[in-house]
Amino acid sequence: MNSSNKKSTPNKRGTDSQEDSQPAAKKPMFSIFDKKSNVPAAKAPIKWQTYGTSCIVGEAFNPKAYPKVASYDLDSTLISVNGKHKWPKNSDDWIWWAPGVPTRLKEVSEAGHALVVITNQGGLDGKPEKQEEMKLKFEKICGRLQLPMWILISMQKDHNRKPMTGLWHWLEAKFQLEGVTIDRTQSYYVGDAAGRHDGWKVGASKDFNNTDRKFAESLGLIFHTPEHYFLNQECPDHKWSFGDFDPKKWPKNLPLFSPSSTPLLPSPGTCELILLCGFPASGKSSFAKKHILSTNRYEWVNQDTLKTRDKCLKAVEDSLKQSKPVVVDNTNPDVSTRAPYIALAKQYNVPVRCFLFQADKDLALHNNYFRAFHRSLVEAEDAVWSLSTSSDASAQTSSTTTTTTTTKGSGEQAQETSLTSSKEVTVTRIRDEPARERISEMVFYSYAKKYQEPTLQEGFSEIKRINFVPDEDIRASWEKWYL
């Protein structure tokens, strides 16, 4: 990015205190008739693009690129369901979240902001009928607003799903192609997933999540709750949080292991068995490769590679028969799982040690998303940076991808094929290893349920506690929000 578009964090992180980034809010006119009267309007003509199974992008009323972006969540921010039920029944089941929403958006648009909706909509991936229903809902919403607007819809858990920032980088790249650099210091995001606690105001329940606030935080955008933005209702700082785990607060001076009174590895020529124990994505494989396997002394046994525990046990026995030290890189959550390996060590009269990884479930879940998606996010940011520094972006294009474009509105539909530019990007801030598949959250809950802390009584000669220490070259990416 050029110097005029450096990321900026609000003076008071995450609060709703900055007013100069948007037109002054007007006190809304509260009218139950205005709020509940969903008078049918002609559907807006929206140009739709579907990007594989990841996301859908819409352009209503030919929106233009502007340096200042006013971006919003959809549900419980711009609209609500029309009733007391939780989930919308169809494309007509909505009302404005507050009666002043259309007027507010019109003021912001006329003041020179690009209007953008960025929304997570799970359950659309692989379901064309649900995708069409969502498009129809937006066509009706935009038909009533009659305002130019960008619509960015995430369909699955990938780098485009908030709090991950892929859709924002898509928007930045799109604007760059039109010669416009988004000024994040003058842009903001409004969303209801703000991490507010029970009773943040009288009678209010806690927010279901904090992903909207995290999304804005990762981008350095000013963040507003719908209550503040539309109704001028503040939420005190002590009544919201990012949750139990904040990567920015992860200690920077942790020792790699403890106790430090004994070395990590014995002198060359010593045969031993090391059992790794810890959550998936707790750093076991990376640690083993960097600090154990790099010595070229140890054999490596991993169930993800060998597929069954019996094959792992056979590989361990083969190594011990030849007096070769071996490390078992599995989760090994409980006594019964660890016992056969300890028995083999005893059979071959070699010491067995446990390396117990200290990452808890929250840290491991964060790492799970980080290692699956940080590469895509860094590449998306680098693409924007490359466009912003190129005097001729089109000359940089090295390949094309085909997307399906649909223009719908007022009962008319047409299909056309468009070419979307993609670029070769040199990536310098990601690990030199392939991205891993995201592991289902159920695996982490299952591990936590099975877990029994290792003890010396099981037969271990030593238990070393291994701290998670992110590499400095990737720390800035690691500290962003991924879930």
Side-chain angles (χ1 to χ4, degrees):
M1 291 295 178
N2 58 33
S3 59
S4 65
N5 191 35
K6 292 180 180 178
K7 296 183 181 180
S8 173
T9 303
N11 292 334
K12 197 172 185 182
R13 190 180 77 170
T15 64
D16 302 324
S17 59
Q18 299 203 18
E19 301 295 337
D20 56 354
S21 66
Q22 57 173 325
K26 294 183 178 179
K27 189 174 181 180
M29 297 291 291
F30 289 91
S31 167
I32 61 171
F33 300 105
D34 287 343
K35 185 174 181 179
K36 291 185 178 293
S37 61
N38 247 3
V39 178
K43 292 182 294 182
I46 298 180
K47 177 183 177 183
W48 292 108
Q49 290 183 311
T50 299
Y51 291 83
T53 62
S54 179
C55 62
I56 301 171
V57 174
E59 299 176 38
F61 296 107
N62 192 29
K64 305 300 181 185
Y66 294 106
K68 293 188 292 185
V69 171
S71 54
Y72 309 85
D73 187 28
L74 177 65
D75 300 304
S76 299
T77 298
L78 297 182
I79 63 171
S80 299
V81 295
N82 191 5
K84 294 183 179 180
H85 50 287
K86 186 174 182 180
W87 306 112
K89 299 175 182 178
N90 51 51
S91 61
D92 292 311
D93 186 11
W94 62 272
I95 54 176
W96 297 119
W97 180 83
V101 168
T103 300
R104 186 83 167 101
L105 296 183
K106 186 173 186 294
E107 292 172 347
V108 170
S109 179
E110 291 176 348
H113 287 70
L115 298 182
V116 180
V117 174
I118 303 175
T119 177
N120 293 344
Q121 296 291 334
L124 299 185
D125 177 23
K127 298 180 180 178
E129 70 285 352
K130 289 188 177 294
Q131 294 177 26
E132 292 304 311
E133 185 81 7
M134 180 57 61
K135 292 177 184 178
L136 181 58
K137 175 184 281 190
F138 269 107
E139 288 161 12
K140 293 176 179 180
I141 291 170
C142 292
R144 293 196 60 196
L145 285 173
Q146 294 290 303
L147 296 172
M149 179 179 287
W150 302 86
I151 301 161
L152 311 180
I153 305 170
S154 167
M155 293 192 289
Q156 62 166 290
K157 290 184 178 180
D158 64 5
H159 68 289
N160 287 323
R161 184 177 179 84
K162 295 178 299 180
M164 289 179 279
T165 52
L167 286 178
W168 181 270
H169 303 312
W170 180 94
L171 188 74
E172 288 183 317
K174 180 73 171 178
F175 281 26
Q176 286 288 354
L177 290 172
E178 297 185 26
V180 175
T181 298
I182 294 176
D183 183 352
R184 295 190 192 179
T185 68
Q186 295 297 313
S187 302
Y188 54 86
Y189 188 75
V190 183
D192 66 302
R196 290 168 292 185
H197 306 158
D198 268 326
W200 69 266
K201 70 174 182 177
V202 176
S205 300
K206 69 177 182 179
D207 291 334
F208 75 100
N209 212 321
N210 49 25
T211 49
D212 289 336
R213 193 185 291 272
K214 288 176 176 178
F215 174 76
E217 170 79 5
S218 285
L219 291 166
L221 297 176
I222 299 165
F223 176 74
H224 300 281
T225 63
E227 286 81 0
H228 174 254
Y229 187 80
F230 292 112
L231 306 177
N232 290 320
Q233 296 177 359
E234 298 278 358
C235 174
D237 278 353
H238 68 279
K239 291 190 175 182
W240 67 265
S241 73
F242 284 123
D244 295 331
F245 174 74
D246 185 342
K248 292 183 177 63
K249 295 180 179 178
W250 190 251
K252 291 182 167 58
N253 56 353
L254 286 173
L256 184 62
F257 62 87
S258 64
S260 58
S261 55
T262 57
L264 181 69
L265 301 178
S267 58
T270 302
C271 182
E272 70 165 346
L273 170 61
I274 297 176
L275 284 187
L276 306 188
C277 176
F279 273 100
S282 59
K284 298 185 301 300
S285 296
S286 295
F287 181 92
K289 291 174 184 177
K290 186 173 183 179
H291 299 286
I292 303 175
L293 302 179
S294 60
T295 66
N296 294 317
R297 291 157 44 192
Y298 285 75
E299 298 295 312
W300 181 64
V301 173
N302 175 262
Q303 192 161 317
D304 289 341
T305 303
L306 296 179
K307 303 305 181 186
T308 70
R309 187 174 70 164
D310 286 345
K311 289 182 179 179
C312 290
L313 288 167
K314 184 179 184 304
V316 168
E317 184 169 16
D318 289 345
S319 295
L320 297 182
K321 279 181 180 178
Q322 302 174 58
S323 297
K324 293 181 179 179
V326 59
V327 56
V328 178
D329 179 12
N330 298 335
T331 59
N332 297 313
D334 54 17
V335 173
S336 63
T337 303
R338 299 186 290 261
Y341 295 103
I342 297 172
L344 275 176
K346 184 177 181 180
Q347 177 183 341
Y348 289 93
N349 198 29
V350 299
V352 54
R353 294 190 295 155
C354 176
F355 282 14
L356 179 57
F357 287 74
Q358 299 299 286
D360 62 11
K361 178 166 60 66
D362 290 333
L363 172 57
L365 282 168
H366 174 83
N367 287 346
N368 178 39
Y369 276 72
F370 168 77
R371 69 187 192 182
F373 301 123
H374 88 285
R375 178 181 293 270
S376 298
L377 289 171
V378 171
E379 289 175 345
E381 288 185 279
D382 282 355
V384 176
W385 181 86
S386 181
L387 285 171
S388 70
T389 57
S390 173
S391 59
D392 184 6
S394 61
Q396 302 289 327
T397 303
S398 59
S399 62
T400 59
T401 57
T402 303
T403 62
T404 301
T405 303
T406 308
T407 303
K408 296 175 62 179
S410 303
E412 299 179 355
Q413 178 171 322
Q415 289 277 8
E416 62 179 350
T417 299
S418 65
L419 292 179
T420 304
S421 296
S422 62
K423 298 167 13 62
E424 294 288 342
V425 178
T426 300
V427 179
T428 58
R429 301 189 306 281
I430 56 179
R431 288 176 180 266
D432 186 20
E433 61 182 44
R436 303 193 201 179
E437 291 292 325
R438 180 184 67 85
I439 302 171
S440 168
E441 280 84 346
M442 291 303 299
V443 175
F444 295 84
Y445 290 101
S446 176
Y447 178 90
K449 187 175 181 179
K450 292 180 181 178
Y451 177 70
Q452 295 173 312
E453 184 169 346
T455 65
L456 294 176
Q457 285 70 33
E458 293 178 56
F460 293 114
S461 60
E462 181 184 40
I463 297 175
K464 279 201 179 296
R465 298 182 182 276
I466 310 298
N467 290 313
F468 180 79
V469 181
D471 294 336
E472 284 304 313
D473 62 328
I474 60 166
R475 180 134 195 165
S477 294
W478 181 83
E479 287 183 347
K480 293 182 179 180
W481 297 105
Y482 289 84
L483 75 164

